[in-house]
Amino acid sequence: SFYRSKSIIEIFNDAEKEATGDTIDVVIEGIIDDEYGQLVEEIRFSNKKINLDLSNVYGITEIDDVYNPNYAWIRDDVFKNIVSIKLPPSLKTIKKNTFSGCKYLKSIEIPDSITTIEDYAFSDCDNLETVNIPKNLQNLGSAVFSWCESLKGEIQIPEQITTIPSYLFRGCKNLEKVLLSENTTVIEALAFSGCEKAYINIPENLESIGDKAFYNCNSLTYVKIPENLKFCGSGVFSNCDGITTLKIPASMTVLPDEMFAYLGNLESI
């Protein structure tokens, strides 16, 4: 076991003394099972913005905005001051709403130990720029990154994720690329709505696309509807001004309402 020479309180106090601006760098190491409540307290009540490194912490399998070792109350502002965070390698689950609305959060390192990210985990993080999807992820909730308007770069969805949940990247207007596995069979409603700059591949094995899944995805230029598609909602590609070419299979004899509405630059079908 790793035994720390300083308590959580002392680490935060020292970090605040060393800070030259309004941001402190906090590095925690070792096993903190009995100190998790104190860690939450220090994060929540710090009057500084925090770069938090938990990459050498062991014994935490879930992270949440609920502190409940001895008490039971919800603290929906626990992580409000976090600017960056490296999560523990023992972590398995990021619970619902954990980082939702963290307006200072710019980057997060998610370990490959993570198997579940629940609904709205990072929604409305206005300044979140970079994030990685762990390769061992098994369960991905709805709206996890919705309205993360600063999120950019490329995101690759692991092959074991076959359903892209609703609202997953809704409103991520600066995201540049999302790579879906060919194992993807379902894209739920509004999953990529408002991803104005993103290239998103459409897998051949896709069977279902929900309402407005690609609404206002202006960087799509070529769309080929998969032969295996069994369900397609309304307005799926509406308002995608960048689309110039559509390939629709002969098996698709009826087009859903407004599936291709407002495609001002469409040249060929």
Side-chain angles (χ1 to χ4, degrees):
S1 298
F2 182 99
Y3 294 96
R4 201 181 308 106
S5 60
K6 295 181 181 179
S7 68
I8 298 293
I9 295 175
E10 289 172 324
I11 291 171
F12 271 80
N13 285 342
D14 288 349
E16 292 196 5
K17 290 176 184 176
E18 294 170 5
T20 56
D22 64 351
T23 302
I24 60 174
D25 297 321
V26 177
V27 180
I28 310 291
E29 296 182 324
I31 298 172
I32 65 168
D33 281 351
D34 295 336
E35 299 175 285
Y36 186 64
Q38 188 62 60
L39 175 64
V40 169
E41 289 286 311
E42 294 299 314
I43 293 171
R44 186 183 185 222
F45 291 110
S46 175
N47 59 5
K48 299 282 190 180
K49 298 174 187 175
I50 304 169
N51 294 314
L52 182 63
D53 186 349
L54 301 176
S55 60
N56 289 308
V57 166
Y58 299 90
I60 298 177
T61 58
E62 293 185 355
I63 195 162
D64 200 346
D65 60 3
V66 178
Y67 164 39
N68 190 5
N70 300 307
Y71 309 91
W73 65 80
I74 295 177
R75 299 174 170 180
D76 56 6
D77 60 351
V78 164
F79 297 104
K80 69 182 189 315
N81 291 330
I82 295 292
V83 175
S84 69
I85 184 168
K86 297 179 181 179
L87 296 175
S90 56
L91 205 61
K92 300 294 184 185
T93 301
I94 300 175
K95 303 287 281 185
K96 183 177 180 180
N97 289 314
T98 297
F99 296 99
S100 180
C102 290
K103 63 180 180 179
Y104 298 122
L105 184 64
K106 288 187 176 182
S107 68
I108 183 163
E109 291 186 18
I110 304 175
D112 285 332
S113 59
I114 291 286
T115 58
T116 299
I117 303 177
E118 296 185 355
D119 299 348
Y120 303 98
F122 300 97
S123 65
D124 295 294
C125 290
D126 296 343
N127 288 300
L128 183 63
E129 296 179 354
T130 60
V131 72
N132 62 294
I133 305 296
K135 65 181 181 182
N136 295 315
L137 190 68
Q138 300 291 331
N139 305 296
L140 185 59
S142 296
V144 167
F145 300 105
S146 61
W147 299 109
C148 291
E149 295 186 350
S150 298
L151 192 61
K152 56 188 179 182
E154 176 181 314
I155 291 180
Q156 185 162 0
I157 305 297
E159 62 181 13
Q160 63 272 18
I161 300 296
T162 59
T163 295
I164 305 303
S166 58
Y167 304 91
L168 181 62
F169 292 107
R170 187 184 187 188
C172 294
K173 62 182 182 180
N174 287 301
L175 191 59
E176 294 157 26
K177 182 182 286 189
V178 180
L179 296 177
L180 304 179
S181 162
E182 285 302 319
N183 294 334
T184 305
T185 56
V186 177
I187 297 176
E188 294 183 346
L190 294 155
F192 299 104
S193 174
C195 292
E196 300 174 9
K197 297 180 180 179
Y199 164 82
I200 306 159
N201 65 306
I202 300 175
E204 289 288 337
N205 294 317
L206 202 58
E207 297 177 358
S208 175
I209 308 177
D211 294 347
K212 294 186 175 180
F214 296 96
Y215 177 83
N216 203 32
C217 289
N218 293 327
S219 288
L220 294 178
T221 57
Y222 172 87
V223 170
K224 181 181 179 182
I225 305 300
E227 294 278 352
N228 295 326
L229 195 67
K230 298 173 183 176
F231 172 81
C232 192
S234 63
V236 169
F237 295 101
S238 60
N239 214 47
C240 293
D241 284 343
I243 294 178
T244 58
T245 304
L246 286 172
K247 298 291 183 182
I248 302 173
S251 57
M252 191 172 225
T253 56
V254 177
L255 297 181
D257 291 346
E258 297 188 335
M259 183 176 180
F260 301 112
Y262 311 112
L263 304 189
N265 295 300
L266 185 62
E267 297 174 358
S268 66
I269 300 177

